[in-house]
Amino acid sequence: LIPLRTRAELNIDGVGIRNNEFIPGQLQAKVSEQEQITYAGLKELVNAGSNRKSWLIFSSGIEHAEHIAAMLTSFGVDCAAVHSKQKSEYNDAAIKAFKSNKLRSIVNFSKLTTGFNHPDIDLIGDFRPTMSIPLHVQKLGRGTRPASRKSNCLVLDFSRNVPRLGPINDP
């Protein structure tokens, strides 16, 4: 994993914590207020990822996933949003297209953290703040799979999880 310090950073001040995690509804509302931060972050991601082939993006909620996919599509980047409100047929088709490298980017909310294996992932965009070390490690772990076509995985931490929780090798 190769971290790249981002200029755009989500502000989560005021988001409450319950059961050692950010309260989902409050987090989604706070991130939704910052559409310009998401937009600026995605511009950074597109520039940093220009030579990257397989982008995995984590969103702060279902609506956020949809907004990210729409923004990337408007930038000319093929992207699908997978989450619990999508039909399983849609999610399955999007994941299959991503794994076969027919889809360059995929954004998800709580779908592609554990049990998801696609070794070609060479860019992670993290727009999902968390207080959970296991979730943080699982998300970053998606980029650690070796593949013949990649030498590393670039990580853009727009959610500032690494300063809050630590790097994957020392959380």
Side-chain angles (χ1 to χ4, degrees):
L1 298 175
I2 306 294
L4 178 64
R5 177 70 189 253
T6 62
R7 291 183 298 283
E9 297 176 355
L10 293 171
N11 176 351
I12 55 170
D13 292 346
V15 175
I17 297 173
R18 182 185 320 128
N19 299 325
N20 296 317
E21 183 58 289
F22 293 113
I23 298 171
Q26 289 182 17
L27 181 61
Q28 175 65 49
K30 184 72 172 188
V31 170
S32 292
E33 294 171 2
Q34 302 175 67
E35 189 171 327
Q36 74 284 358
I37 300 296
T38 297
Y39 181 88
L42 290 172
K43 283 291 198 181
E44 280 187 65
L45 188 140
V46 168
N47 288 333
S50 64
N51 64 341
R52 303 287 171 153
K53 306 288 184 221
S54 191
W55 306 356
L56 177 61
I57 302 164
F58 296 98
S59 69
S60 296
I62 291 170
E63 294 83 13
H64 193 224
E66 293 292 333
H67 289 144
I68 288 172
M71 285 182 198
L72 283 174
T73 299
S74 76
F75 299 159
V77 177
D78 294 332
C79 185
V82 296
H83 50 74
S84 62
K85 288 191 178 177
Q86 296 280 27
K87 293 185 183 222
S88 60
E89 297 83 13
Y90 175 88
N91 285 339
D92 292 346
I95 292 167
K96 182 178 179 180
F98 182 65
K99 284 185 162 187
S100 66
N101 297 313
K102 293 177 183 163
L103 186 63
R104 186 176 195 184
S105 65
I106 195 164
V107 58
N108 80 102
F109 178 67
S110 295
K111 279 288 184 193
L112 306 177
T113 50
T114 58
F116 179 70
N117 186 27
H118 179 49
D120 288 345
I121 293 169
D122 61 357
L123 184 140
I124 293 173
D126 194 355
F127 288 89
R128 183 179 180 183
T130 186
M131 293 294 295
S132 169
I133 289 173
L135 176 59
H136 172 61
V137 170
Q138 283 292 331
K139 289 189 299 179
L140 295 178
R142 302 309 98 202
T144 62
R145 309 300 196 267
S148 61
R149 296 177 294 275
K150 77 175 190 184
S151 58
N152 59 48
C153 179
L154 185 63
V155 177
L156 290 92
D157 180 20
F158 301 102
S159 56
R160 306 300 294 139
N161 284 322
V162 172
R164 185 172 38 260
L165 302 172
I168 192 173
N169 63 332
D170 190 22

